[in-house]
Amino acid sequence: MAEVQPYRMVDPDWAVAEIERRTGHVFFRRELALLAITHSSGANHRDCSNERLEFLGDAILGFTTCQYLFQNYPAWQEGDLTRVKSLVVSRQTCAEWANALGIDELLMVGKGVGSPGRLPPSLLANSFESIVAAIFLDAGMAAAQAFLWPRVSAKADEAAGLDAEANFKSALQQLVQRDYGRPPTYLVVSESGPDHDKTFCVQVQLGTRRFEAGWGKNKKQAEQRAAGTALRELEREMAEGTGLPGL
């Protein structure tokens, strides 16, 4: 492993134990965990830093995010998927995840880079991606995605909720008002789960017609998904010459 400059002397055994505790992954190859937290400024050679791991981790994060969005937002087109993906995989998001794990106090860095609590966000973001790659190399994609999935899903749903209102509900409203003359209504078909963790099912209704339902962790999210489904169906019908007038 890389020799660390005196600025940040981190005990390797403690560092690996903390990474395992904070990520929930027990490493078979502890050298991967140490490599993931070794910045190039704290290594005696760039090959002994986490730069290559960062490259791989970025790809794994991107794939996992695409997979989640593809599976959970079936009504979305490429542009909408791309917008939300860019928010999930951003430097800011990765830095936030690194901060939540307290990675800054584990990183092996050289002089002049920063101190715990004051490290550059880009460095923290890179370290998060490096840890993702280390888990992947240690135990495969299933292990890496087990680590990523709760983070990606929460951030994607948050970003989708912010993005979808403008892209789906607004677009549906404009289309329907222009070509049908009446606004859509949103009906809560059902809700399930305890009060602190409910799931809602919502349908869009135009006149007497109801569209396929959308599910969400709150009414707003369910409405966005229902609007997206209705919009996609109406656009398909219009392309075929069978859409809107009279529904």
Side-chain angles (χ1 to χ4, degrees):
M1 278 306 301
E3 294 180 4
V4 181
Q5 296 180 29
Y7 171 69
R8 181 72 71 82
M9 295 297 291
V10 179
D11 177 74
D13 292 331
W14 174 80
V16 172
E18 282 300 300
I19 292 173
E20 291 179 336
R21 182 179 68 82
R22 299 179 193 193
T23 64
H25 175 75
V26 178
F27 280 86
F28 296 98
R29 297 169 58 192
R30 66 192 300 272
E31 68 272 15
L32 288 170
L34 291 173
L35 189 61
I37 58 171
T38 302
H39 186 252
S40 58
S41 65
N44 60 1
H45 193 279
R46 296 190 74 150
D47 290 345
C48 300
S49 75
N50 61 10
E51 288 185 353
R52 285 171 55 83
L53 287 180
E54 172 204 338
F55 171 79
L56 179 58
D58 176 69
I60 296 168
L61 173 59
F63 171 77
T64 301
T65 302
C66 288
Q67 182 181 11
Y68 179 82
L69 291 172
F70 186 85
Q71 291 177 350
N72 289 275
Y73 293 86
W76 284 32
Q77 299 302 308
E78 181 184 5
D80 301 304
L81 295 169
T82 300
R83 272 192 295 276
V84 171
K85 178 200 171 187
S86 67
L87 291 172
V88 177
V89 304
S90 69
R91 301 285 86 192
Q92 179 180 342
T93 297
C94 289
E96 289 172 358
W97 286 334
N99 273 323
L101 291 169
I103 297 302
D104 64 326
E105 64 186 20
L106 303 179
L107 286 175
M108 301 181 184
V109 298
K111 292 181 179 180
V113 174
S115 57
R118 295 178 178 272
L119 294 175
S122 59
L123 190 154
L124 294 172
N126 294 346
S127 69
F128 180 84
E129 293 175 339
S130 298
I131 288 173
V132 170
I135 294 174
F136 167 76
L137 292 173
D138 189 61
M141 182 62 84
Q145 291 196 320
F147 170 67
L148 282 175
W149 207 255
R151 294 169 173 83
V152 165
S153 60
K155 191 66 178 181
D157 289 346
E158 176 189 346
L162 295 174
D163 196 59
E165 186 169 6
N167 289 327
F168 290 155
K169 289 190 70 175
S170 177
L172 180 63
Q173 178 86 5
Q174 292 175 21
L175 177 67
V176 172
Q177 286 281 61
R178 183 192 69 205
D179 294 337
Y180 183 59
R182 286 191 243 167
T185 56
Y186 294 86
L187 307 174
V188 178
V189 179
S190 66
E191 54 184 82
S192 60
D195 289 341
H196 68 281
D197 190 25
K198 280 189 176 296
T199 299
F200 295 86
C201 177
V202 170
Q203 283 185 302
V204 170
Q205 182 167 332
L206 295 174
T208 59
R209 179 178 177 183
R210 291 190 185 184
F211 293 82
E212 184 179 343
W215 293 84
K217 295 179 179 179
N218 52 58
K219 291 180 183 178
K220 182 177 179 180
Q221 185 182 76
E223 288 177 358
Q224 316 300 1
R225 293 180 177 178
T229 299
L231 184 63
R232 184 179 183 184
E233 179 68 12
L234 288 172
E235 289 176 340
R236 181 187 63 79
E237 292 176 356
M238 292 174 69
E240 295 172 351
T242 60
L244 279 191
L247 291 178

